[in-house]
């Protein structure tokens, strides 16, 4: 099976926090995206990369934009999931992992609000942040064929921890999964992030993203995505 086909760097993402030289990872042909929330307010150092995802999106609240950092190639396995020996593969099972800086925990959200610490509470993410994530998913769909679909159940934290919401996939379901899911859905893992992110809206925005104009992305990115849109629909945009 071929691996690592298509572009390996998300346009516009900084590679100043690159961990692939230290943690080589496995080459994959990605067919899924796993979303996380960092439960912090700034770019984590991930223990020097030991628990890093492929990418981190850091909200710039003043500019209303996501600032992207890439830590591994799109199709090199990253390290933000637990992987038990003897079970299914997790990090290395053809997934590209994205950490969203902010929280999915309502108690953390309340604490930060109380302290006046600005942040994104992802279950109530502002439109610009959701659209920023959606553009990435649209790119993953156009360039890597990741389906713009995923699990139905996105329980709120803390019900999303463990499997109290009944949302976590079995090993067999995970092995067959293609699309977009959360850490909360991955077997061998307990974490409940990204909680009740508005998945339906995220997917709706991702499907609209190729038509996004004047959205703050650079022209090169827009041109690439327009080209991808033509390839994928066989149609010109009007
Ligand atoms: Zn996580």
């Amino acid at each position: 099976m071929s691996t690592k086909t298509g572009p390996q760097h998300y346009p516009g993402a900084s590679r100043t926090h690159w961990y692939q030289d230290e943690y080589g990872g496995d080459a994959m042909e990605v067919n899924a995206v796993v979303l996380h929330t960092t439960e912090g307010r700034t770019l984590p150092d991930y223990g020097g990369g030991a628990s890093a995802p492929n990418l981190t999106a850091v909200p710039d609240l003043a500019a209303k934009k996501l600032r992207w950092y890439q830590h591994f190639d799109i199709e090199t396995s990253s390290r933000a999931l637990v992987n038990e020996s003897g079970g299914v593969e997790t990090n290395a099972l053809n997934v590209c992992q994205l950490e969203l800086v902010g929280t999915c925990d309502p108690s953390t959200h309340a604490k930060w609000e109380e302290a006046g610490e600005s942040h994104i509470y992802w279950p109530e993410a502002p439109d610009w942040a959701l659209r920023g994530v959606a553009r990435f998913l649209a790119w993953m769909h156009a360039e890597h064929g990741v389906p713009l679909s995923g699990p139905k159940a996105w329980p709120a934290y803390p019900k999303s921890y463990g499997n109290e919401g009944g949302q976590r996939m079995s090993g067999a379901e995970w092995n067959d999964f293609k699309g977009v899911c959360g850490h909360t859905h991955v077997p061998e893992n307990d974490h409940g992030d990204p909680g009740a992110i508005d998945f339906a809206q995220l997917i709706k925005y991702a499907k609209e993203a190729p038509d996004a104009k004047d959205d703050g992305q650079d022209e090169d990115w827009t041109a690439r995505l327009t080209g991808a849109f033509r390839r994928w629909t066989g149609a010109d945009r009007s």
Side-chain angles (χ1 to χ4, degrees):
M1 187 175 127
S2 68
T3 54
K4 299 189 75 162
T5 55
Q8 296 300 315
H9 297 141
Y10 185 46
S14 165
R15 273 173 266 150
T16 55
H17 294 67
W18 186 254
Y19 300 122
Q20 194 167 309
D21 300 327
E22 193 155 5
Y23 297 100
D26 296 338
M28 305 177 294
E29 189 65 33
V30 159
N31 57 28
V33 170
V34 174
L35 302 175
H36 300 259
T37 49
T38 62
E39 304 307 308
R41 299 187 309 116
T42 55
L43 179 66
D45 81 347
Y46 300 112
S51 63
N54 297 78
L55 302 108
T56 305
V58 183
D60 180 336
L61 296 163
K64 294 186 162 46
K65 285 182 73 163
L66 297 178
R67 306 287 180 197
W68 291 81
Y69 293 84
Q70 189 163 351
H71 314 296
F72 295 92
D73 281 349
I74 295 291
E75 295 181 301
T76 286
S77 63
S78 63
R79 310 177 60 87
L81 294 166
V82 170
N83 186 43
E84 290 172 354
S85 63
V88 294
E89 289 300 326
T90 59
N91 291 301
L93 196 71
N94 305 320
V95 300
C96 180
Q97 301 184 54
L98 168 60
E99 289 268 9
L100 306 172
V101 169
T103 185
C104 71
D105 180 343
S107 67
T108 303
H109 171 48
K111 197 168 63 188
W112 286 346
E113 281 222 310
E114 173 86 28
E117 289 170 333
S118 56
H119 63 278
I120 287 184
Y121 174 49
W122 281 97
E124 294 173 4
D127 230 41
W128 59 263
L130 220 47
R131 284 189 187 273
V133 178
R135 277 195 292 271
F136 171 72
L137 297 179
W139 185 81
M140 287 299 293
H141 177 69
E143 297 287 6
H144 293 281
V146 173
L148 293 176
S149 57
K152 289 210 164 35
W154 293 73
Y157 190 86
K159 196 179 176 190
S160 61
Y161 189 83
N163 195 22
E164 284 196 43
Q167 81 286 353
R168 207 167 294 273
M169 295 183 217
S170 66
E173 287 168 333
W174 169 246
N175 282 338
D176 287 344
F177 180 73
K178 295 177 177 63
V180 182
C181 71
H183 196 171
T184 187
H185 299 105
V186 180
E188 300 182 10
N189 284 252
D190 290 326
H191 283 193
D193 54 303
I197 196 167
D198 190 344
F199 186 65
Q201 191 65 51
L202 188 59
I203 292 300
K204 180 171 180 283
Y205 284 161
K207 289 177 175 172
E208 291 171 4
D211 290 314
K213 288 174 186 146
D214 300 323
D215 57 2
Q217 290 286 349
D218 61 62
E219 286 181 9
D220 182 55
W221 190 93
T222 306
R224 288 165 55 82
L225 192 50
T226 303
F229 182 80
R230 287 209 184 93
R231 287 201 301 282
W232 139 48
T233 60
D236 263 5
R237 299 165 68 207
S238 54

